[in-house]
Amino acid sequence: MKLNRLLVLLVWVLLGVPGLFLPFSAAAQSERIKDYNSNGWYMYFGDHKISEKWGAHTEIQLRRHNILKDPQQLLIRTGINYNLTANAMITLGYGFIETYPYGGFPAADIFPEQRIYQQLQLKGNLGRIGLTHRYRQEQRWVQAAGTDAYTYLNRSRYLLKAVLPLSGPTLDAKEFFLAAYDEIFVGFGENVQRNIFDQNRLYAALGYKLNDAGSVELGYLNQIVQKPSGVVFEHNHTLQVSLFYNLDFSRK
């Protein structure tokens, strides 16, 4: 029964959610503009243990347009982790994002964003499949391109990630695995404009566990982004290269 419910949820998220927040009229459908892009995201993530309960999150992402040729975005994120249990962690953090003009409908200039976020991450298993649920709330200050004015925005995110070991019932060092996730972004508040549905990310990858601390993933991300106008939709085909490395600085 739990497996059936999970499959129903996945189908609903992957196929139904983007359309849930969009106008249903034929006129609204006809005015949409699709902007197709090819990007490359090169990323590092680390959750480093400082004590039994406390830790630090570090992250940097170099996002490139045309796979590698042109700049798209720089993202630096850090945070303080607190382990509620072995499988539940909360994080309070800060992010700096700098976005460059790219695509068929580029911004007028480079623009920065300051961001604070709160996060709950839950881990579990469904048979051999490892599952991660991530709930994130963001408070964003986005500077309008070419101006000194900032706009305050709220956004909620939910990610469901699954990892399947390929060599046995558990994922051990020097073994391959498959990974997949879907993440939905929803904006709210007085400045949200027309894009309540902000974006959706659907991802699949082949991974390799280097050792007990680290792993790498090579994957494909299909990202759909609705611009603030509510008319332009980016369809971004993205190569993702990720390094995950978690260090333990706590005393044994």
Side-chain angles (χ1 to χ4, degrees), residues 51-69:
S51 68
E52 186 64 27
K53 290 291 188 179
W54 295 94
H57 177 77
T58 55
E59 176 182 344
I60 184 167
Q61 300 188 27
L62 299 176
R63 298 176 175 178
R64 306 290 294 182
H65 182 51
N66 293 322
I67 306 299
L68 192 59
K69 180 182 176 182

Side-chain angles (χ1 to χ4, degrees), residues 108-216:
D109 200 353
I110 301 171
F111 65 91
E113 175 183 342
Q114 314 281 341
R115 184 184 300 174
I116 297 172
Y117 71 96
Q118 305 82 41
Q119 178 177 293
L120 170 64
Q121 183 171 281
L122 304 174
K123 292 186 177 181
N125 292 89
L126 184 64
R128 293 175 55 200
I129 302 174
L131 297 176
T132 299
H133 301 267
R134 190 179 72 193
Y135 307 85
R136 181 180 292 174
Q137 183 65 40
E138 297 174 332
Q139 298 82 47
R140 308 166 63 207
W141 289 266
V142 181
Q143 184 175 339
T147 74
D148 295 326
Y150 278 83
T151 300
Y152 173 73
L153 298 166
N154 291 294
R155 189 165 66 183
S156 295
R157 300 167 56 169
Y158 169 68
L159 175 142
L160 174 59
K161 182 174 183 179
V163 172
L164 176 65
L166 294 180
S167 299
T170 60
L171 180 58
D172 300 312
K174 299 183 179 180
E175 292 183 354
F176 287 94
F177 61 90
L178 296 177
Y181 71 70
D182 190 84
E183 185 173 18
I184 180 73
F185 296 60
V186 178
F188 65 94
E190 62 179 341
N191 295 321
V192 71
Q193 300 184 45
R194 294 181 62 186
N195 61 330
I196 297 175
F197 164 71
D198 183 85
Q199 60 178 281
N200 192 77
R201 298 178 182 177
L202 178 61
Y203 169 81
L206 175 66
Y208 181 74
K209 189 170 178 63
L210 301 169
N211 50 43
D212 290 339
S215 63
V216 292

